Amino acid sequence: MLYHLQVRNLSYKNILTQVKFEWSQGERLALMGANGSGKSTLAKLLAGQIKADAGEILLRHNGEIYPREKSLSWKNIGYVGQHPRRHTIGATVAEELGFGLLNLGLSAEEVKDKVRSLASQIGMLEHLQQSPSTLSGGERQRLVIAAILALHPAFIILDESVSMLDPKAEKRIFDLIDSANITNSDSNVKGLGQLWITHDPEVALRADRLLVLQEGNLVAEGNPSDILKDEKQCLEYRIRSQSKALTHGYAINHSSITCQMPPVLKWDKAEFKNKVYADQTVDKNQFIGIVGPSGVGKTTLLESALNLIKPIKGEFKAFDYASNPIPMQELRNRIRLLQQEAGEYILGRTVYDEVFYTKSKILRQADRAKDEAYLNSMAIPEKQWRRDPERLSGGERQRIALAAALSTYPDIVLFDEPMIGLDCQGREQFRAFLMQYKDNHTILYVTHDLSEIADLVTRIWLIEDGKVALDCKIEDFTKERDRFERAGVKL
């Protein structure tokens, strides 16, 4: 018999108010809403990570009702959060996949066979002895999801958990989830109950039912297509409508002029430990989109631009310092990196501290008016300035990380999937920022979704097998479209 979940008038602090809905095993739900609307809080309540102030969550099975106190039955709900780095505990990929299996009482040989099977299904058979910390963000997401599936839950909650994946890897994960067999002692049912927290209407349209949260209230529930085709309503809810799931028209920027000055970044036959190779140059004020499958070296390339890693062969240079290397502190101010999972790297006790962490107390006092104007310009409301960033949503932390990265007014900005976790308003604000920023700054922008920036970039690098396999001007993009599609780039 199927498991069935009932959520009754659930409230939590000032974040959620009397939320109620039902969810059956085998049913695919999508959950959308603006940043700060309560999506992740609801997920954590369902997974038992936090306790509700009011209301209740009941699990029904075989005519029995299991309240939260019946912890054994509640292990049937698996949760994968926004930041896969927080979910990995194994020293190697094999240990990560096998940890839960050992707890299920399988023999060592059975665990070994199951681990290899899971690794093969998610394309990580060659990484079994690697530390999860060495994987790309997308690879870690695949790993954590597979480790949860190994435990045979009846329900799985994915909180923006496919956001770092290229389309091929995303399809592989959804196929894996859809084919998961529930074979615990109580049931033999094919199919998981799935809850996808997402800002992507393309993902939401695959669901059986869509739930929409607004300021902690469940304001819409029903067929995803019916809800997402109402553009006026979606605008009010601050979610992307169905029309926003369609591919952008690419207005090609022909205004770029080849710069005759020395390049600002130069990789000269540079080879790095993890088999990434670069022999590229970047001119001043170029906007380069960097695309390619998960785990091929895109993030490594950005890290090398900031000298976080150094080549073992060849060399890398930043700016026009032919004989004297640029001092590291100056380099870190002139080149800023907005990392994948930027919300994971928050250091300040308050939002204000985080954004201006490079400034001394004396300088903060002197620049107070200017700093407050900067926070307003970055769409960070005053009510958040003294709040602990950890208490904000993932999308809100992403905006704060962006503001911190740009606070030194760098010449070069390195973006690694910067729109992950942003709601529709945040995405539009960010694109508006890029439109203004790009003409006087050099930008390297890693993404799985080329439609985010195709109308902004001057060049595109396709990374495959650890090197730039294709470097084309945006004017030549249409000639190479099939090549990008074969590589799994979302267009």
Side-chain angles (χ1 to χ4, degrees):
M1 183 176 175
L2 296 177
Y3 283 89
H4 186 74
L5 202 70
Q6 291 180 306
V7 178
R8 297 179 172 176
N9 298 322
L10 210 61
S11 296
Y12 183 79
K13 297 185 177 179
N14 61 345
I15 301 174
L16 292 173
T17 305
Q18 294 191 333
V19 172
K20 57 182 178 180
F21 64 93
E22 299 191 0
W23 179 22
S24 296
Q25 185 183 342
E27 186 180 19
R28 297 176 298 180
L29 303 183
L31 177 61
M32 300 182 76
N35 294 142
S37 61
K39 302 184 300 298
S40 294
T41 298
L42 178 57
K44 291 174 182 177
L45 286 165
L46 294 174
Q49 293 191 3
I50 55 178
K51 186 177 180 180
D53 297 331
E56 59 183 350
I57 307 170
L58 300 177
L59 187 67
R60 292 180 176 270
H61 182 238
N62 288 338
E64 297 289 333
I65 299 177
Y66 299 93
R68 173 65 68 191
E69 289 72 23
K70 300 287 186 180
S71 59
L72 185 63
S73 297
W74 282 89
K75 289 182 180 178
N76 284 293
I77 298 181
Y79 172 71
V80 183
Q82 291 175 310
H83 303 296
R85 193 183 301 274
R86 293 184 177 182
H87 294 267
T88 53
I89 56 176
T92 66
V93 168
E95 282 189 20
E96 185 67 31
L97 290 173
F99 180 79
L101 295 171
L102 287 170
N103 289 336
L104 292 178
L106 300 182
S107 69
E109 196 60 35
E110 288 173 320
V111 169
K112 184 178 179 180
D113 290 342
K114 183 64 174 176
V115 163
R116 290 188 64 84
S117 175
L118 281 169
S120 177
Q121 286 176 285
I122 61 173
M124 299 191 69
L125 200 55
E126 297 179 358
H127 301 292
L128 281 175
Q129 299 311 312
Q130 280 185 233
S131 166
S133 65
T134 66
L135 303 177
S136 72
E139 288 171 329
R140 280 196 301 273
Q141 282 186 317
R142 278 185 279 162
L143 173 62
V144 170
I145 292 170
I148 293 291
L149 291 176
L151 300 177
H152 302 300
F155 299 92
I156 188 168
I157 301 169
L158 304 179
D159 189 353
E160 291 281 354
S161 303
V162 295
S163 55
M164 294 183 191
L165 302 182
D166 61 83
K168 286 184 177 179
E170 180 184 291
K171 182 180 185 302
R172 179 180 286 172
I173 285 296
F174 279 127
D175 287 346
L176 179 63
I177 294 173
D178 285 339
S179 65
N181 285 298
I182 310 304
T183 56
N184 59 32
S185 59
D186 294 322
S187 63
N188 187 20
V189 181
K190 186 169 184 177
L192 285 160
Q194 302 173 41
L195 175 62
W196 313 328
I197 298 178
T198 183
H199 289 295
D200 188 346
E202 287 187 13
V203 172
L205 286 168
R206 301 176 194 171
D208 301 313
R209 190 155 44 104
L210 172 61
L211 311 178
V212 180
L213 282 176
Q214 185 179 37
E215 296 181 350
N217 296 286
L218 187 61
V219 293
E221 179 180 0
N223 181 281
S225 182
D226 291 342
I227 294 173
L228 293 175
K229 70 183 180 183
D230 188 335
E231 294 195 29
K232 183 178 179 181
Q233 197 74 65
C234 287
L235 185 62
E236 180 183 332
Y237 297 153
R238 288 174 56 190
I239 62 175
R240 292 160 64 193
S241 67
Q242 187 169 339
S243 65
K244 299 297 184 182
L246 304 176
T247 303
H248 292 289
Y250 295 158
I252 305 301
N253 177 7
H254 295 283
S255 62
S256 58
I257 301 172
T258 303
C259 181
Q260 301 302 313
M261 298 175 65
V264 292
L265 299 175
K266 183 177 182 180
W267 291 266
D268 188 2
K269 299 178 181 176
E271 187 176 326
F272 299 89
K273 280 185 178 179
N274 52 353
K275 299 180 181 178
V276 173
Y277 175 86
D279 191 28
Q280 311 297 129
T281 60
V282 178
D283 292 329
K284 184 177 181 181
N285 296 345
Q286 279 193 322
F287 188 151
I288 297 178
I290 303 176
V291 298
S294 302
V296 295
K298 302 185 299 294
T299 297
T300 296
L301 196 62
L302 295 190
E303 291 175 342
S304 72
L306 199 52
N307 263 342
L308 294 176
I309 56 174
K310 298 181 182 295
I312 55 176
K313 292 182 181 179
E315 63 178 355
F316 166 76
K317 292 180 180 179
F319 304 107
D320 188 20
Y321 286 81
S323 56
N324 298 316
I326 181 171
M328 185 56 69
Q329 186 57 50
E330 182 181 346
L331 181 72
R332 297 285 167 85
N333 284 333
R334 295 184 64 184
I335 305 178
R336 298 303 297 268
L337 168 64
L338 185 68
Q339 296 172 297
Q340 250 179 22
E341 302 180 76
E344 278 289 88
Y345 299 92
I346 298 294
L347 300 174
R349 293 182 179 180
T350 69
V351 169
Y352 188 91
D353 291 338
E354 177 63 25
V355 174
F356 302 110
Y357 73 92
T358 60
K359 284 188 172 185
S360 67
K361 288 184 179 180
I362 294 175
L363 198 55
R364 288 187 193 184
Q365 290 175 351
D367 291 346
R368 183 73 187 190
K370 185 174 71 172
D371 290 347
E372 290 182 355
Y374 175 76
L375 290 170
N376 285 322
S377 72
M378 297 301 293
I380 299 176
E382 186 174 353
K383 64 182 180 180
Q384 291 182 359
W385 295 355
R386 292 300 170 191
R387 289 190 66 186
D388 180 352
E390 282 293 325
R391 296 185 176 275
L392 302 179
S393 73
E396 289 167 330
R397 290 199 302 272
Q398 186 81 346
R399 186 178 292 115
I400 290 160
L402 172 64
L406 301 178
S407 64
T408 61
Y409 301 97
D411 300 309
I412 299 174
V413 187
L414 314 172
F415 292 114
D416 196 353
E417 299 281 3
M419 291 200 198
I420 287 176
L422 294 182
D423 58 26
C424 62
Q425 184 180 42
R427 292 169 67 91
E428 290 304 317
Q429 288 173 340
F430 186 69
R431 275 184 48 82
F433 154 77
L434 288 176
M435 287 288 291
Q436 295 179 340
Y437 203 76
K438 67 184 181 66
D439 291 335
N440 298 303
H441 297 83
T442 304
I443 297 174
L444 273 63
Y445 188 110
V446 168
T447 182
H448 288 302
D449 187 351
L450 194 53
S451 67
E452 290 179 352
I453 53 168
D455 57 337
L456 303 174
V457 298
T458 54
R459 301 189 73 84
I460 306 173
W461 291 354
L462 173 62
I463 313 293
E464 292 182 307
D465 299 321
K467 62 180 182 295
V468 180
L470 178 64
D471 177 357
C472 75
K473 295 179 181 178
I474 188 61
E475 295 94 316
D476 299 326
F477 165 75
T478 53
K479 301 175 187 175
E480 304 289 350
R481 189 181 183 95
D482 290 344
R483 176 83 179 270
F484 287 102
E485 287 182 340
R486 289 197 301 272
V489 178
K490 188 175 180 180
L491 304 175

